[in-house]
């Protein structure tokens, strides 16, 4: 039974049912005549049938179907983010759709082993029918990357010239160009982070307070290190504190930050980075908990795309090998390996946030006003449970 | 990059590439114009767009794509099994294709949680566009079940009358009828098991030897039980031995066996069952090791289809609920639950084999001749490793 | 590298490191001397080494480790729920811990195939060393079930008498008894749902409004059905509406509801059920979005435990068979199958909620006051994105 | 129910059971007193309880349990491989155990997301209790790598000096040293490949035949390329053929091969490489099908360990960040990234085999004698199926 949930009100056992007056038939609705007639085996047409070509086609069509779904979700998420005054009531919707993308990406990762059941010898039997560059021609994957926020300047050289890859398809070139000028998810998230409540210098002034806390913490650690009995431990600790001071400088000194952005090692504006750190620190406050989940999901998406690329690299190595000796040229394997670098991670700054965290005890306390702005009350004092439940790690 | 393995010999970084003279383009090859234009949202056409309808369509299309692949593999496996004198050299090919089906089924099971991200409220927003019976209308799933070996008489009553479900599609009815008359995978496996070498009464006579071994073992266990110190332990053990004797009778007494077949509790012919037990016992012999793997994969397929049904049931319960009170009628949920029974398991006999096994020490020893028939030698006495590796559980 | 994250500040390449003065060593911290010396193979001690016994032991120890972690999380969640006036700021923490339980349960489901690599013949070689009842003796799993909310009266008969199973371990009996008197997670969730803001009869009065909406909707559907051209479609629709009226009665008429609770078909109090429905309807409001996620996670936990039981059943069938003929007694397989019923689902009411939903357009609109109570504003009117993003399904 | 399969013959429903006379109790058998008392939270002992420390401990203990199981399987596989004249009848057993390792490694990969639920802020709360180098101290993982065949000279510099890491544990140092002198799985596989039947120069002489076939194929391709209409296509093809000639030289010219081995780019001896290529070509012959499966599983193991390392890297980046600016020193993240290189792949040569394959039509045909040596017959001419099954891609 493909999908029984359509049959919500049929009286199944008795067989008493309605004809097609009452709604569309399953196969017509899914346009299966189109979808299931699109498996054209070139090896069969060439009279040298290769069994495994069918798998190759179906696997890639499944990938493309899911790419379409991811793009559909991405577009809707960008829409929700892009309204002038984004309503907080839409955050759950955004979370749900990001989470759906995460689940789909997991499926795509799991799909790789199916294609791996095709052994190199089988693949060799039909790969000659394909254009040598065919792998670079998934229009949808290119759109997906751009809509997420992969920038042309971060791509490896070859991968930048999409107009060559799609030279015979002007509509594709136009679509790609459009995604490069529209705000990407990364752009919209950046703007949203810049609006994080609490960043106002004349208000809670999070950034000022955070800098003070860091300075305070480092001084305390220095004092503690000076009391170390063993000289080499003391020196190690002092050196470590000095390193950390340098590290923090990269976010407190906006010129260092901007240099890193120019180099491509950092992406967010200075203010967006501040917002992300603030949300991470105060994520237990009701109003920040969904934004925090949102940041986690963005990292999941980045991680999963990289995992997918990685699994793909391993499969390609198994399928076509990686040794191209004496030529100096790069193989498909080498190209793919290069896309695993951090440069293709759209939300790299979120991954690196952990570098700048500090122990809970040192985080600047919320003011009453700020606390109120971030809090909510639920229900009223109610039935007290008869038996108290105790737990080890709660005070 | 959707599929970089096409680019096996392009010189990626330099961008020096050939035009389309050299092969087909990725998008044309995959007929993406068809596949990606088959998502028609009825809610959009009705001017009440429901975001989640897109997911519903894509998920079901992905299911159908994979059903097509499974059917493609099943057909090829049935072909390999059906040649008069099936060559053993094709067993590996069969194993590979069964294993591929297993991987695809795992993916289908993993796909369920994606559809679960659609909440009931969302689903309610567009389900009215669908035919009430639509869930029962996956032609491919029906074909897949039949080709595996689900028999009409084992189906629940409603599910038998496919000509009603597909009343408007005569071609579908014909295809289903065809699969009911062709030999199913289960039929072909049965014939193959009947040919297991070693079953010949005038040769190794496995079945005769096995019966003797069982009788011997039960007598020994009885003698041992009689020596038990505690009365209730002794009685328990004796009762247990008596039960086991009854259990074995169901395979040794062909009239009991046949009665079970008539009731639908067993499927294989008596001789095929013997072959399956023999393979299980001597699976370490080279010639039986692939047949044994084959039996394991058949069970995997049965298990995974049942798991998929089960996950589906849970999803349907979440999506449309299970309580239909006061009507006496069955809901889609109740129908689906009913397909979880062992009656829908095609290789149920393989699952139940374990009931009839005996400890390794009691298995009838191979004769020299039989041993030779099942054995192979590999390589010649060669380099002896310098360091011996010891392992705990080896003698 | 087992866990490199310990090495957060070491200077890895240079090898310049501190001795153990600075913290605990990995192996000591994890008490690996205890954990890795607890694999005692009875078959080795009996001088009949069976290779696969090692896997059997390790797999079950891994299960028990994760059971301990789940219990640890469950206890902390129950603590967070049980404070008199549960603070909404802790909801994210609860969500995170429930989600962690979900991930662990998924791992446990995935662990089943590893144990399945042990074939029946291998298992038969050492199972005699085990107590026949051993499978029923996982104390932790029993505690876990009780802490979730599996009630003694819903268990199958045999499974109720834990004092027999643990007769030789009074401490275990005591622990089980304790979990039966403490409030379970289900109890605490029930109390929390009863406090859902908006249920107050003298306030928003959700329940009254919902009843009106249902009545209104059914009347409209009746009117529409009366206009059907085809008689049999009309009759079918009218019959369907009558059925739905009956179904709704089961929640509006508290005497019907209570009868269902007595029969064990429903679990929540009438008021808790109202809270759950209300949260489901208005889950897009910021204040209800986390509660809604919480309800989803509770269902996930229930589903996964059932899936785990189910996978286990299939493995047991493969390992020991299911046919115990002529005895009338039940096998381990039959027992396990019986625990798959909905009676072992703690949050069965949440699964059935979908039965009572209605199209979005018919849901009672929020009053201004209620809207305000459930809403939050984020940020201030800010940078408008330069390019508008359009999306198909948004108005 | 932790493990119901113990209860194979109990009469479950009636509750009639035996006491512990009949076998060992579940908890005693699993030594749960040891396993479940080994979770010692340093944060609790320091009176600053951190909830997530429990997860950290349990996750790592579960890793170590599975490492122990993998080592147990590896030892037994090395034993089976190491007997002077390895019997082919043990190949299935080796396959089963390799496959089990594969499943366990998949579980370890899936376990990473559970640890990822611990956020950086939580981790920061207790990581100070751990030794800075603790992550490098998993003795079992080091043993596992060595037993597989990771060589000291392929490790990154820091990772070579295990005696520093385990300076306080002489027994550990001794164990590691032992694994470095014993034959690893890679060593034993190499010896086994060298014995591949058909490599004998005075017999089938596979290597000679293969060289001829390659030369023949390249000449044909050259002739075909010369006929190309478009000049740039012709040149591209000719260049490509020249490249392939170079590539093949690296396996045909033993001095090039040996130079690659010295550089660490290749691992197998020349003769072992020949065996691996031969098995890959003739894998459809019965006698080579299990050896071929074996090679596939070795690649799976290599891939999965690399995937596990990779997922770990991503988690570490999320947990502790990757930016250590201005210091020039490497972080744990950088170290881990370095272990992802192909140098840590033990069976890298198998992955690269695909580089040297040729289309099925060009593979040297088997002689009658060789065919016979690799073949087996199954069953006797038997019941012909009544209906022929046709399949698209079969001739």
């Amino acid at each position: 039974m493909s999908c029984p949930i359509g049959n919500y009100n049929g009286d199944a056992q008795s067989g008493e049912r309605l004809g097609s007056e009452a709604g569309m038939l399953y196969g017509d609705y899914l346009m299966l005549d189109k979808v299931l007639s699109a498996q054209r085996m070139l090896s069969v047409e060439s009279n040298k049938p290769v069994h495994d070509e069918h798998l190759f086609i179906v696997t890639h069509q499944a990938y493309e179907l899911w790419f379409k779904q991811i793009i559909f979700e991405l577009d809707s998420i960008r829409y929700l983010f892009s309204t002038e005054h984004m309503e907080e009531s839409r955050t759950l919707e955004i979370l749900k759709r990001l989470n759906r993308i995460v689940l789909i990406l997991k499926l795509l990762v799991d799909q790789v082993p199916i294609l791996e059941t095709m052994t190199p010898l089988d693949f060799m039997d039909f790969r000659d029918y394909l254009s040598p560059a065919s792998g670079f021609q998934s229009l949808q994957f290119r759109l997906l990357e751009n809509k997420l926020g992969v920038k042309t300047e971060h791509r490896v050289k070859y991968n930048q010239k999409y107009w060559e890859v799609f030279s015979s398809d002007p509509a594709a070139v136009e679509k790609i160009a459009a995604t490069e000028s529209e705000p990407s998810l990364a752009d919209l998230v950046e703007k949203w982070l810049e609006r994080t409540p609490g960043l106002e210098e004349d208000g809670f002034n999070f950034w000022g307070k955070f800098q003070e806390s860091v300075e305070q913490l480092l001084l305390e650690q220095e004092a503690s290190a000076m009391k170390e009995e063993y000289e080499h431990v003391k020196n190690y600790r002092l050196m470590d504190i000095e390193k950390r001071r340098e590290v923090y400088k990269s976010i407190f000194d906006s010129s260092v930050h901007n240099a890193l952005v120019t180099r491509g090692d950092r992406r967010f504006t200075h203010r967006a980075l501040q917002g992300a750190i603030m949300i991470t620190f105060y994520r237990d406050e009701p109003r920040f908990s969904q934004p925090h989940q949102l940041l986690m999901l963005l990292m999941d998406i980045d991680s999963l795309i990289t995992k997918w690329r990685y699994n793909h690299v391993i499969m390609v190595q198994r399928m076509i090998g990686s040794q191209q000796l004496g030529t100096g040229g790069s193989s498909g394997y080498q190209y793919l390996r290069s896309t695993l670098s951090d440069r293709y991670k759209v939300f790299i700054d979120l991954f690196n946030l952990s570098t700048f965290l500090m122990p809970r005890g040192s985080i600047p306390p919320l003011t009453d006003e700020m606390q109120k702005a971030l809090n909510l009350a639920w229900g009223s004092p109610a039935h007290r449970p008869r038996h108290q439940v105790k737990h080890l790690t709660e005070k």
Side-chain angles (χ1 to χ4, degrees), chain A:
Chain A
M1 208 50 38
S2 168
C3 176
I5 65 181
N7 186 55
Y8 55 98
N9 54 10
D11 190 359
Q13 287 287 356
S14 72
E16 184 183 344
R17 278 165 318 100
L18 300 168
S20 55
E21 312 90 355
M24 226 177 163
L25 290 175
Y26 176 82
D28 295 340
Y29 175 58
L30 296 179
M31 296 183 148
L32 294 184
D33 53 336
K34 276 178 137 180
V35 176
L36 298 180
S37 67
Q39 291 72 38
R40 174 185 169 193
M41 291 170 73
L42 289 183
S43 66
V44 171
E45 293 184 7
S46 313
N47 280 316
K48 293 182 194 164
V50 181
H51 179 83
D52 284 7
E53 192 188 355
H54 200 275
L55 178 74
F56 185 85
I57 295 169
V58 164
T59 309
H60 285 81
Q61 287 175 337
Y63 274 134
E64 292 286 337
L65 272 181
W66 290 117
F67 289 161
K68 184 165 185 190
Q69 184 64 34
I70 293 175
I71 288 172
F72 185 80
E73 302 293 348
L74 266 183
D75 282 349
S76 79
I77 291 165
R78 292 190 309 139
Y79 172 85
L80 291 174
F81 261 121
S82 71
T83 46
E84 296 167 44
H85 187 121
M86 174 189 151
E87 289 171 63
E88 279 184 70
S89 68
R90 310 309 301 266
T91 315
L92 181 63
E93 205 53 47
I94 292 176
L95 285 181
K96 275 183 51 184
R97 295 178 189 182
L98 287 174
N99 183 52
R100 186 176 287 169
I101 293 176
V102 164
L103 290 177
I104 294 172
L105 288 172
K106 276 184 188 152
L107 192 81
L108 299 189
V109 170
D110 290 344
Q111 211 172 296
V112 173
I114 295 179
L115 199 52
E116 278 182 327
T117 62
M118 198 175 68
T119 50
L121 216 51
D122 299 323
F123 180 52
M124 188 170 262
D125 278 351
F126 70 89
R127 70 182 186 187
D128 282 336
Y129 303 116
L130 304 178
S131 155
S134 67
F136 297 93
Q137 293 164 355
S138 172
L139 170 61
Q140 287 197 122
F141 192 73
R142 182 85 184 206
L143 296 176
L144 191 160
E145 286 184 324
N146 286 352
K147 280 163 192 266
L148 271 178
V150 174
K151 293 269 172 268
T152 303
E153 61 265 32
H154 296 141
R155 292 180 182 275
V156 297
K157 203 178 135 219
Y158 167 78
N159 204 210
Q160 293 176 12
K161 307 189 204 159
Y162 58 84
W163 47 90
E164 287 186 2
V165 180
F166 296 99
S167 57
S168 61
D169 184 353
V173 172
E174 209 171 307
K175 277 185 193 168
I176 293 174
T179 55
E180 292 189 342
S181 63
E182 283 172 14
S184 68
L185 179 62
D187 296 331
L188 295 162
V189 165
E190 186 177 74
K191 292 279 173 265
W192 169 78
L193 283 172
E194 291 175 345
R195 300 195 301 269
T196 307
L199 291 184
E200 311 79 11
E201 282 81 358
D202 57 351
F204 180 64
N205 185 23
F206 166 69
W207 203 242
K209 288 195 169 68
F210 176 43
Q211 271 181 276
E212 277 172 41
S213 288
V214 166
E215 193 46 42
Q216 181 66 26
L217 179 68
L218 292 176
L219 289 175
E220 278 166 27
Q221 289 181 344
E222 236 158 32
S224 152
M226 294 305 289
K227 293 182 197 142
E228 272 292 351
E229 192 178 357
Y230 298 97
E231 190 71 9
H232 73 291
V233 177
K234 185 174 85 181
N235 289 340
Y236 179 86
R237 288 185 58 186
L238 287 175
M239 195 183 70
D240 190 54
I241 291 164
E242 207 40 53
K243 275 189 209 169
R244 296 197 64 70
R245 203 183 294 276
E246 274 302 308
V247 166
Y248 277 114
K249 200 178 165 191
S250 80
I251 52 168
F252 290 142
D253 184 332
S254 62
S255 67
V256 179
H257 172 83
N258 292 335
L260 288 166
V261 170
T262 306
R263 252 166 60 186
D265 287 349
R266 223 174 260 168
R267 307 287 165 85
F268 281 148
T269 61
H270 201 200
R271 195 171 179 89
L273 193 70
Q274 295 170 19
I277 292 177
M278 186 172 183
I279 289 169
T280 305
F281 277 151
Y282 305 106
R283 64 193 157 87
D284 288 334
E285 304 305 316
R287 200 164 157 201
F288 275 177
S289 75
Q290 288 193 342
H292 181 251
Q293 287 178 285
L294 204 154
L295 298 183
M296 301 290 280
L297 285 170
L298 295 174
M299 282 195 275
D300 285 340
I301 289 173
D302 241 359
S303 295
L304 282 162
I305 290 183
T306 320
K307 277 181 199 172
W308 183 72
R309 290 190 209 263
Y310 191 72
N311 286 3
H312 231 103
V313 165
I314 287 178
M315 187 200 62
V316 171
Q317 186 184 34
R318 183 182 277 205
M319 210 64 83
I320 63 171
S322 62
Q323 291 191 332
Q324 302 263 4
L325 299 153
T327 66
S330 324
S331 64
Y333 171 76
Q334 298 299 337
Y335 162 70
L336 276 168
R337 246 196 116 87
S338 73
T339 70
L340 294 178
S341 89
D342 284 348
R343 297 183 71 81
Y344 277 75
K345 272 203 191 131
V346 172
F347 297 104
I348 181 74
D349 293 338
L350 297 178
F351 286 90
N352 288 332
L353 279 193
S354 45
T355 314
F356 310 110
L357 299 185
M358 57 200 320
R360 236 174 274 259
S362 305
I363 296 173
L366 292 173
T367 56
D368 279 0
E369 201 183 8
M370 194 65 206
Q371 176 85 54
K372 212 171 146 193
L374 297 180
N375 209 355
L376 280 169
W378 170 270
S380 45
H383 314 271
R384 195 177 300 196
R386 283 147 303 166
H387 302 78
Q388 273 297 352
V389 181
K390 277 184 216 131
H391 187 59
L392 183 62
T393 61
E394 310 294 335
K395 65 269 158 185

